[in-house]
Amino acid sequence: MKDQLEITRTNRKLLAKIMDNFSLEDLNKVPEGFNNNLIWNIAHVVVTQQLLTYNLSGLPMMIDDEMIAKYRKGTKTEGLVSKEEVEKVKELLFATIDKTEKDIDGSIFQGYQEYPTSTGFVLKSVEDAINFNNFHEGIHLGYILALKKSL
């Protein structure tokens, strides 16, 4: 799983670079023809990783209910995100993956609630969740790159 988490970290380094290179205004802007903005997509991948990995394993997550409600599947940009929230998301990009790696090493993932993804793939283990999460984050990286071009 170390290789899979390294793939996640690599993707998240790209996301952090985007956060560093765009203004708060640009991170919050929803370009014409899009439903969401840069910061929503970045926060969404953090929330999704926590839901797929920890929530479905019956373990506590590093994110709160408010963040889940704002960025989970089926949501969209509803307002402006503050500089403080952007910084929190940026911190969580790496803290969540570091904790996941530590928790895998500590063998805390014992059970998993099967989950059929919207793509039709059924997650049956935390390993499936981590692998699928990389696929999911790749989709959102593509969306983010398209958003960047529209700003």
Side-chain angles (χ1 to χ4, degrees):
M1 294 295 6
K2 298 258 187 210
D3 289 342
Q4 293 302 320
L5 291 174
E6 196 54 39
I7 291 169
T8 310
R9 272 194 193 89
T10 300
N11 186 67
R12 292 194 175 192
K13 286 175 188 172
L14 296 170
L15 298 178
K17 187 175 178 183
I18 289 165
M19 292 176 81
D20 288 340
N21 291 325
F22 282 85
S23 68
L24 182 61
E25 180 182 344
D26 283 342
L27 289 171
N28 275 296
K29 184 176 182 182
V30 179
E32 188 175 328
F34 290 87
N35 294 325
N36 287 308
N37 55 26
L38 292 171
I39 191 60
W40 183 92
N41 277 276
I42 296 169
H44 172 73
V45 300
V46 169
V47 167
T48 300
Q49 185 270 340
Q50 289 288 286
L51 289 170
L52 293 178
T53 307
Y54 285 86
N55 189 55
L56 291 172
S57 294
L59 297 169
M61 296 180 286
M62 291 180 66
I63 56 173
D64 59 30
D65 291 342
E66 182 181 338
M67 190 171 183
I68 294 167
K70 192 172 182 179
Y71 298 110
R72 74 177 311 142
K73 177 181 168 183
T75 65
K76 63 180 183 175
T77 299
E78 295 291 340
L80 298 179
V81 174
S82 69
K83 179 74 171 157
E84 293 76 24
E85 189 171 353
V86 168
E87 290 304 317
K88 178 182 177 182
V89 170
K90 189 173 179 186
E91 178 187 320
L92 286 168
L93 279 175
F94 300 103
T96 52
I97 301 308
D98 292 344
K99 181 166 178 15
T100 301
E101 184 171 34
K102 179 182 171 203
D103 290 344
I104 288 170
D105 290 344
S107 300
I108 73 157
F109 295 100
Q110 297 299 314
Y112 195 83
Q113 177 185 333
E114 282 192 16
Y115 177 75
T117 68
S118 56
T119 64
F121 185 75
V122 178
L123 305 179
K124 297 178 182 176
S125 67
V126 72
E127 292 83 8
D128 287 351
I130 291 168
N131 287 324
F132 181 81
N133 184 68
N134 283 337
F135 167 75
H136 176 261
E137 289 198 20
I139 290 171
H140 282 277
L141 177 61
Y143 196 81
I144 286 165
L145 295 174
L147 277 166
K148 275 179 47 178
K149 287 186 177 185
S150 297
L151 294 174

